[in-house]
Amino acid sequence: SQQGEEDPQALSIQEGENATMNCSYKTSINNLQWYRQNSGRGLVHLILIRSNEREKHSGRLRVTLDTSKKSSSLLITASRAADTASYFCATSTNTGFQKLVFGTGTRLLVSP
Amino acid sequence: EPEVTQTPSHQVTQMGQEVILRCVPISNHLYFYWYRQILGQKVEFLVSFYNNEISEKSEIFDDQFSVERPDGSNFTLKIRSTKLEDSAMYFCASSGTGGMNTEAFFGQGTRLTVV
């Protein structure tokens, strides 16, 4: 089984709209992190949510975590063309030093 | 803002050659990692390193791979005899603690192409 599956795989929206991406995972976790990757570039850390937290905000980002459903969502409000990127969730499980297990990612395209 | 830096950004090598990928983690961080991303696939954990030794490694990290912190600032990944399937983007990351709830900061990656 795979840890960390995002959906949708691709999302295309207009500037100003909200974008919601979902992540599901299979094992218990300590935290879940969201990263952004611009095409062919590095991974930029967006937000970390602990397993005992349900919601977290950072600027235009809102992350929720439902450990009973083993799922998380990332909401980007009032999207901009610069938000165009791939977004990954990554889970940190109960063992190991920050061994992050990444999902498959959602490719977000924000059109002007 | 402190950042993880990786060099080179792109390396092309012949199959069977040795390559060394270099990373300078964030200066006060203690935990270091290598991940890789084969084109179009997930980012995969390779190895974590703390206190001058490997703390965890994946099944990908076989005897062809080694890591080293040769001085107080650099962290390197060596692939002894590269194979075509080693072609990937390699990311270095560091965190202040290895604790369960700290962010890992990633570098921009080294794109390794084995021909």
Side-chain angles (χ1 to χ4, degrees):
Chain A
S1 63
Q2 294 196 27
Q3 183 83 334
E5 298 285 340
E6 285 95 332
D7 92 273
Q9 290 188 331
L11 180 62
S12 185
I13 59 174
Q14 299 287 321
E15 261 190 333
E17 294 181 339
N18 295 340
T20 299
M21 289 159 268
N22 303 297
C23 167
S24 60
Y25 58 91
K26 296 194 182 300
T27 65
S28 62
I29 61 171
N30 285 305
N31 66 64
L32 186 145
Q33 304 182 39
W34 284 91
Y35 288 83
R36 184 185 74 223
Q37 183 182 37
N38 288 68
S39 180
R41 305 294 301 278
L43 296 159
V44 176
H45 186 271
L46 296 176
I47 200 163
L48 179 152
I49 186 164
R50 296 177 173 78
S51 60
N52 61 353
E53 296 176 313
R54 292 296 166 257
E55 187 170 313
K56 205 159 181 181
H57 297 253
S58 176
R60 294 184 294 113
L61 306 180
R62 173 178 167 252
V63 168
T64 62
L65 179 65
D66 186 335
T67 52
S68 67
K69 295 181 180 176
K70 292 186 168 59
S71 67
S72 173
S73 67
L74 170 68
L75 168 67
I76 303 174
T77 59
S79 63
R80 305 165 182 167
D83 294 328
T84 295
S86 290
Y87 292 82
F88 296 89
C89 67
T91 53
S92 175
T93 59
N94 291 324
T95 62
F97 295 88
Q98 282 292 18
K99 177 184 172 182
L100 295 173
V101 179
F102 281 80
T104 50
T106 292
R107 292 188 309 279
L108 174 67
L109 174 63
V110 182
S111 301
Chain B
E1 186 174 330
E3 59 180 15
V4 176
T5 57
Q6 291 185 242
T7 55
S9 56
H10 191 185
Q11 177 146 4
V12 181
T13 188
Q14 296 269 342
M15 191 168 54
Q17 294 296 305
E18 173 183 288
V19 295
I20 297 176
L21 309 182
R22 302 181 191 281
C23 169
V24 179
I26 293 173
S27 64
N28 62 346
H29 281 184
L30 301 175
Y31 298 81
F32 315 112
Y33 316 88
W34 284 100
Y35 287 77
R36 79 172 185 190
Q37 183 182 32
I38 295 172
L39 187 64
Q41 297 187 23
K42 292 184 180 187
V43 176
E44 302 172 291
F45 170 82
L46 292 178
V47 66
S48 59
F49 190 86
Y50 168 70
N51 200 26
N52 281 321
E53 60 182 25
I54 290 172
S55 35
E56 188 167 358
K57 60 183 181 179
S58 72
E59 57 195 28
I60 302 169
F61 194 89
D62 61 21
D63 292 343
Q64 294 286 75
F65 292 88
S66 62
V67 289
E68 192 177 35
R69 187 154 163 81
D71 53 41
S73 60
N74 291 287
F75 179 51
T76 62
L77 173 69
K78 182 192 292 186
I79 308 174
R80 205 177 337 274
S81 177
T82 50
K83 305 169 192 164
L84 294 176
E85 54 265 38
D86 294 327
S87 294
M89 182 77 95
Y90 287 81
F91 293 106
C92 174
S94 69
S95 64
T97 75
M100 301 302 181
N101 290 305
T102 56
E103 298 92 337
F105 294 91
F106 285 74
Q108 289 293 307
T110 292
R111 182 169 297 286
L112 176 65
T113 303
V114 182
V115 297

